[in-house]
Amino acid sequence: MASLKELKGRISSVKSTQKITKAKQMVAAAKLRKAQAAAEAARPYGERLEAVVASLASKVTVSPSSPKLIAGSGADHVHLLVVANSDRGLCGAFNSNIVKAASQKARELIAQGKKVKFFLIGRKGRAVISRTFPDTIVGHYDTTAMKEAGFTEAQAISAELMKRFEAGEYDVAHLFYSTFKSALAQIPTEQQIIPVAIPAGTAASSGAAVEYEPDEESILADLLPRNVSIQIFKAMLENGASEQGASMTAMDNATRNAGDLINRLTIEYNRSRQAAITTELVEIISGAEAL
Amino acid sequence: MALHFELVTPEKLVRSAAVHQVVVPGTEGDFGVLEGHAPFMSTIRDGMIQIFETATSAPETIPVTGGFAEVNEKGLTVLAEKAG
């Protein structure tokens, strides 16, 4: 049995760990509210843009001459996996879930004889991916400097992706992030961003003839790159909310576990203390009897 | 009757109000939208949106960057990358 001093040391060490996890939990809870509000504020734009793209796309016929973002580059050989992770740990399986989803997809693609490249957003996940798929990371966007997902960052990322697409570095881009469902559930999500997947079966909402200025195709050509930025922005916001949610849940569990451990250790500590007292008494009594 | 006007950016819904008229800087020229405008869609250039709350009031201007405007039976929606 451990000595009293050792037990005391362990109790105080677990207590300070508990303090950290509790603080992190509270921080995450506060940040979650903000991240959720940001994700909700961004929703109207995404919905409207989607509606407009759908109604435009139903009017424009896809042909090889249409914008590359819709028609694709004509090949399906090189796939770019854009993986959005967080910058910080202490958020449970959040990052590893996203990485797992991406790795699975990568393995599938490799098995089909395709070439896979990675573009990473955020700091975490880099180590795992570079170990599992060496020499496939072509780019990285550092988000450590930013406090919350901003549209400017999303635009910068999308510009980078477009540049690589134009340069023919890849044919298809998939985006991996975590959809925020609740503080308890975050779902790793895969989405194809390039070429743009056009929502099918959307009839024009109003029968009235809509006037376009300049014309459908130019508007669409203008809209599509914007759509990519929006999708990335949405992913970053969802990721932000998911990270905080995952962190909150993980830290809640950790705090509770630490509490259990403290209880167990305290009982053990008291038991050994009483055992020591009993032994001392027995020694005194037997000593007195011997006289 | 008034025109239902919405100005949306990726970060938030900037404005949602019933106004008299809105002048939007379209790529091919400014255009004013009143109640009952025909369905219309246009990209916009960087510039000022002018909002007239009533026919006589002085316009309120909001700078916008990049985006497009859509007019449908529900009103006018301006999707801009940056506003204000």
Side-chain angles (χ1 to χ4, degrees), chain A residues 40-97:
Chain A
E40 262 159 39
R43 220 162 275 161
Y45 190 96
E47 278 166 12
R48 300 229 161 87
L49 191 65
E50 208 167 286
V52 171
V53 171
S55 75
L56 272 175
S58 64
K59 292 196 178 77
V60 178
T61 44
V62 176
S63 65
S65 65
S66 47
K68 268 173 103 186
L69 276 177
I70 287 193
S73 59
D76 180 31
H77 186 60
V78 185
H79 287 244
L80 183 74
L81 306 187
V82 183
V83 186
N85 278 118
S86 72
D87 288 319
R88 293 201 180 81
L90 286 185
C91 46
F94 170 75
N95 286 311
S96 61
N97 279 344

Side-chain angles (χ1 to χ4, degrees), chain A residues 42 48 151 155 211 213 226, chain B residues 6 10-11 39 41-42 67 81:
Chain A
R48 300 229 161 87
F151 189 56
Q155 263 177 323
E211 195 80 34
E213 188 182 295
R226 209 157 279 166
Chain B
E6 278 186 357
E11 265 138 24
M41 188 179 292
S42 169
E81 275 179 7

